[in-house]
Amino acid sequence: MGDKAHAHPGAAGGVPAAGHPSAVRNVVLVGPSGSGKTTLVEALALTAGAVNRAGRVEDGATVSDYDGIERRRRRSVQLSLVPVAWDGCKINLLDTPGYADFVGELRAGLRAADAALFVVSAAQDAASVAVTTRAAWEECALVGMPRAIVVTHLDTARTSYREMNRICAEAFGGEDPDAVLPLYLPVLGPEGADGHAPPTGLTGLLSRRILDYSSGQRTELPPAPDQEESLRAARDRLIEGIIAESEDESLMDRYLDGEDLDVATLIADLERAVARGSFHPVLTAAPAAEGARQGIGTVELLELITHGFPTPLERTPPVVTTPSGEPRPAPVCDPDGPLVAEVVKTSSDPYVGRVSLVRVFSGTLRPDDSVHVCGHGLDATGHAPRPCHEAEIRVGALTSPFGRRQHAVDRCVAGDLACVARLGGTETGDTLSPADDPVLVEPWSTPDPLLPLAVRAHGKADEDKLSQGLARLVTEDPTLRLEQNPDTGQVVLWCLGEAHQEVALDRLRNSYGVQVDAEPHRVPLRETFAGRAAGRGRHVKQSGGHGQFAICEIEVEPLPPGSGIEFVDKVVGGSVPRRFIPSVEKGVRAQAARGLAAGRPLVDVRVTLLDGKAHSVDSSDAAFQTAGALALREAASDTRIQLLEPVCEMSVLVPDDYVGPVMSDLSGRRGRVVGTEQSPGGRTVVRAEVPEIEVGRYAVDLRSLSHGTGRFDRAYARHEAMPPQVADRVRAERADASPGA
């Protein structure tokens, strides 16, 4: 930031220890998939001396993408921590996935961090900066989290730093574009055969010095006289933006009076504006050349993090209560205070089992401490919280992760992050606090997974392992929701998207050793009678010994939606003995549960028992159960059986430009648009009622339709009659399917 040279204090492969919160910086990297976050982490680790050689994503050799799935797929799918040392500080770099399906990992990174680096690629267009990245920017803005922007991939053809600066100002500046301004400008080298001039250095707008990397190491050069005029306008705008956002009125007066402000004063004001979360400098970074220690812009970025980003002491602490919900004072970031820590991520290790990544907000966590663990876990938005679980647990070994590797530490002070193994049944979002004075940190929310994935064990050997594997899966990923559907009998994993589904199946098969098959998700349909009907059930069999004898006559009539099954006894004269009337009802209800025309549960009918016959010897409970079922089946053959389908209420939030296509698409799904309303930021909420069978893949389809800018939620409204042509198709599909379908 001050254009100073730095040594590399980190030892290769070593993990620095934090002695005090003032020496910690927790920084989350946010950006769309392919923007270069993982490569940037690798470049920063190389510059800081934490690694001797930078790995490449293409080779599956980076520190933060260490999971087998990530190496196979060549992209991040989980939160990863890479700590490095710089200028006496421990910097916890939190690498997050950029794909929207893994936004739960991003939310965990935001919870663990005190500042954010938004990484955008000069090779991507404006649309790539949007969606998840903008949503994360808004979340940071709500809590005043400091943010800076890093532009990558300037070394690729047809890229423009100026154009990406314009895009960033529009995307992130909002009503104040002067809050997003470049701190450095790239120095371009000679054009290559493709006509592209890659960057060879940077020009610091505050110092006006050129930082040249063309020799493979950072060299400071004085400003070129012929560039002074072209840089003056950019420098003046930067200075005015910094002073305005830092709200330093005295400095503004000096500047307006024409005083030539020294660089140290400007840097101090820049640090103040960045830490306040009101000014967002734009930097650029490029990986180091082969054999070089420093990439372009990595030193400047580390300087900004250590001097411009806040310490954990400056973070607004989370809200805490007692486990019963009574308010408690906010925790103070004091290593000597009472322990308040939170599990921000849960993973599993094949050798040590469950591993919890913990952020300590107050106190100091040490091995062998006895702690109180409590929480509800993390539930998706719109779902009722689960009951609080509590336990007292002794902390085992503490480790500081460096990608896959774990390095033992003797403590984790307030503001720092560490891993704890074998914390019992601890889940993501749980709180660690003193056993004699437990508290509960208010958890963050996760998006509701709305894409269903029905799974079943591949063979008998996998049946026992499936439930255990699924339990581990949803414990490690709170954005997955597990459902055992009682109507269809299916085991359903609700996911955020297709990539999320693929990773879930990959983990089950390759990490947990469970061979599973995906199957089409079935919507819970119902059946009902379209009109009044009568039926007679006759179950008469005679063989050696006691026979079977039961006859009953019933009448069935439809009821309003939501009425269920109503059974009425109108037998007179004892034609059906009183002791067998419950047997008839039991048989009717059992047949109703099995379904009639399409094998779906029968609902919303009144079944009236009118008459029947019994035998003094051969009648039995079982015989009248069978007769009741036969009578219901005969009644069904006497009228039309109507299929009922679940209808959900949907709210779709999209930019105004996509309202027309979204409404047209919903209508094509047999939906009824019931209204629209304006939402801030040029967006509209479209409310509609849509049959659930038509929206199974809507999470994927809306993303495609709105170019990733749309979001939706849905809730069950009711069952209603399915159109005859659709019902005929469903019955035909059932006839073609296996008996258990």
Side-chain angles (χ1 to χ4, degrees):
M1 223 162 60
D3 301 338
K4 299 175 293 183
H6 267 272
H8 312 293
V15 177
H20 192 269
S22 60
V24 177
R25 304 291 185 275
N26 296 309
V27 182
V28 60
L29 282 81
V30 183
S33 183
S35 59
K37 298 182 298 299
T38 299
T39 300
L40 179 58
V41 169
E42 204 75 9
L44 293 173
L46 179 67
T47 298
V51 295
N52 290 321
R53 184 172 181 270
R56 300 191 333 139
V57 173
E58 297 82 357
D59 301 331
T62 61
V63 173
S64 55
D65 280 359
Y66 60 84
D67 187 272
I69 295 175
E70 294 174 315
R71 298 194 173 200
R72 288 192 294 273
R73 296 174 180 268
R74 301 292 187 266
R75 70 178 176 199
S76 302
V77 301
Q78 64 176 0
L79 175 68
S80 181
L81 174 60
V82 178
V84 300
W86 189 261
D87 204 12
C89 291
K90 177 184 180 183
I91 303 174
N92 287 317
L93 298 171
L94 294 148
D95 187 15
T96 65
Y99 205 68
D101 284 14
F102 308 108
V103 67
E105 301 290 320
L106 170 59
R107 293 276 180 89
L110 291 173
R111 181 67 161 208
D114 303 312
L117 285 177
F118 280 74
V119 183
V120 296
S121 169
Q124 295 177 319
D125 57 19
S128 300
V129 180
V131 202
T132 306
T133 309
R134 291 191 188 181
W137 184 273
E138 292 170 3
E139 288 187 37
C140 293
L142 286 174
V143 297
M145 179 179 283
R147 285 146 284 160
I149 300 161
V150 183
V151 179
T152 60
H153 297 158
L154 281 174
D155 50 345
T156 58
R158 295 181 297 280
T159 57
S160 168
Y161 185 67
R162 185 184 299 275
E163 174 64 12
M164 185 49 66
N165 264 291
R166 184 191 64 78
I167 291 171
C168 290
E170 291 180 357
F172 304 133
E175 298 179 357
D176 187 7
D178 284 344
V180 179
L181 293 171
L183 198 57
Y184 297 89
L185 295 180
V187 176
L188 302 181
E191 290 187 1
D194 58 359
H196 176 66
T200 58
L202 302 171
T203 298
L205 289 179
L206 293 184
S207 68
R208 289 176 287 197
R209 286 191 171 274
I210 297 174
L211 309 173
D212 182 55
Y213 287 84
S214 59
S215 64
Q217 60 183 5
R218 185 173 184 258
T219 305
E220 290 192 13
L221 302 175
D226 59 339
Q227 293 183 337
E228 280 289 323
E229 189 64 33
S230 62
L231 294 176
R232 182 175 292 117
R235 185 175 190 268
D236 288 346
R237 189 181 178 196
L238 173 63
I239 293 173
E240 290 171 9
I242 290 172
I243 297 175
E245 298 300 337
S246 67
E247 297 184 357
D248 190 339
E249 295 182 5
S250 62
L251 193 62
M252 179 63 78
D253 292 339
R254 292 166 56 191
Y255 175 73
L256 293 176
D257 288 341
E259 182 178 335
D260 188 13
L261 303 176
D262 63 276
V263 174
T265 301
L266 292 172
I267 289 174
D269 228 45
L270 169 65
E271 293 166 356
R272 187 179 304 111
V274 171
R276 289 181 67 245
S278 58
F279 183 75
H280 316 293
V282 183
L283 298 88
T284 187
E290 186 68 31
R293 169 62 70 180
Q294 298 171 352
I296 295 176
T298 54
V299 169
E300 291 71 33
L301 194 49
L302 289 167
E303 289 177 349
L304 176 69
I305 291 171
T306 53
H307 298 292
F309 280 175
T311 72
L313 296 166
E314 301 165 72
R315 173 175 179 156
T316 301
V319 175
V320 297
T321 65
T322 65
S324 60
E326 299 170 6
R328 291 292 303 273
V332 177
C333 187
D334 179 3
D336 298 322
L339 177 68
V340 179
E342 183 180 33
V343 177
V344 295
K345 178 176 173 59
T346 305
S347 57
S348 62
D349 184 277
Y351 302 106
V352 300
R354 186 178 296 186
V355 178
S356 303
L357 177 62
V358 173
R359 161 78 192 241
V360 179
F361 293 107
S362 172
T364 299
L365 186 65
R366 294 182 175 85
D368 296 325
D369 281 353
S370 290
V371 298
H372 183 274
V373 175
C374 65
H376 303 278
L378 295 181
D379 272 329
T381 303
H383 290 267
R386 291 176 288 166
C388 184
H389 54 266
E390 300 184 59
E392 289 192 14
I393 298 175
R394 183 175 294 277
V395 176
L398 289 183
T399 57
S400 177
F402 186 80
R404 176 184 294 279
R405 301 197 299 273
Q406 300 283 340
H407 299 262
V409 294
D410 61 354
R411 68 191 184 282
C412 181
V413 300
D416 204 0
L417 298 160
C419 281
V420 188
R422 301 189 182 95
L423 272 180
T426 304
E427 302 178 19
T428 300
D430 284 359
T431 304
L432 280 60
S433 59
D436 58 352
D437 187 20
V439 297
L440 180 64
V441 175
E442 183 179 62
W444 69 93
S445 64
T446 60
D448 192 6
L450 295 170
L451 184 65
L453 171 66
V455 296
R456 57 183 169 84
H458 181 70
K460 287 285 186 183
D462 299 299
E463 289 179 357
D464 293 337
K465 295 190 292 183
L466 179 60
S467 60
Q468 183 179 1
L470 289 171
R472 290 178 61 187
L473 195 63
V474 297
T475 295
E476 295 177 17
D477 185 354
T479 59
L480 287 170
R481 180 160 52 88
L482 182 62
E483 175 193 18
Q484 176 76 56
N485 193 301
D487 295 318
T488 64
Q490 287 187 312
V491 176
V492 182
L493 268 176
W494 289 89
C495 307
L496 293 174
E498 288 182 306
H500 202 200
Q501 287 182 338
E502 293 169 4
V503 169
L505 290 173
D506 195 319
R507 288 208 190 283
L508 284 171
R509 293 165 179 160
N510 297 311
S511 299
Y512 308 146
V514 185
Q515 294 304 309
V516 296
D517 297 321
E519 58 183 11
H521 175 246
R522 297 196 293 274
V523 170
L525 304 178
R526 305 280 189 270
E527 297 177 351
T528 194
F529 276 53
R532 189 184 295 266
R536 185 172 189 266
R538 183 177 186 276
H539 183 60
V540 178
K541 289 188 177 181
Q542 187 65 50
S543 57
H546 284 298
Q548 299 179 48
F549 187 97
I551 298 174
C552 64
E553 297 179 4
I554 64 171
E555 183 181 69
V556 185
E557 57 187 313
L559 292 177
S563 300
I565 301 274
E566 183 181 326
F567 185 84
V568 179
D569 168 26
K570 286 191 176 180
V571 173
V572 294
S575 58
V576 177
R578 306 303 304 170
R579 68 181 184 278
F580 292 136
I581 289 175
S583 303
V584 176
E585 180 178 0
K586 189 174 181 180
V588 166
R589 290 187 180 277
Q591 183 62 57
R594 291 191 294 269
L596 297 165
R600 308 293 182 167
L602 180 71
V603 295
D604 302 336
V605 294
R606 178 185 292 121
V607 179
T608 303
L609 177 60
L610 301 172
D611 201 0
K613 292 182 181 180
H615 189 276
S616 59
V617 176
D618 292 343
S619 291
S620 64
D621 169 68
F624 271 98
Q625 283 191 47
T626 302
L630 291 170
L632 186 62
R633 294 213 296 266
E634 183 176 288
S637 66
D638 194 38
T639 188
R640 182 169 61 89
I641 299 298
Q642 199 166 50
L643 270 184
L644 303 176
E645 61 180 339
V647 174
C648 53
E649 296 175 339
M650 294 183 61
S651 298
V652 187
L653 177 65
V654 289
D656 295 343
D657 292 345
Y658 297 107
V659 170
V662 164
M663 293 176 67
S664 176
D665 178 73
L666 291 173
S667 298
R669 297 172 187 269
R670 298 190 286 124
R672 295 185 295 272
V673 175
V674 297
T676 62
E677 59 188 67
Q678 287 300 120
S679 187
R683 293 177 293 183
T684 299
V685 177
V686 180
R687 303 194 185 280
E689 294 181 344
V690 190
E692 190 174 323
I693 201 169
E694 302 287 349
V695 293
R697 287 181 50 82
Y698 195 67
V700 176
D701 297 338
L702 177 63
R703 187 176 294 173
S704 174
L705 183 68
S706 66
H707 297 278
T709 60
R711 301 200 306 270
F712 80 103
D713 57 61
R714 74 187 196 196
Y716 170 78
R718 62 189 174 277
H719 273 71
E720 62 180 39
M722 180 180 281
Q725 66 274 19
V726 181
D728 291 342
R729 187 178 74 238
V730 170
R731 292 189 183 99
E733 289 172 354
R734 178 176 183 267
D736 294 338
S738 61

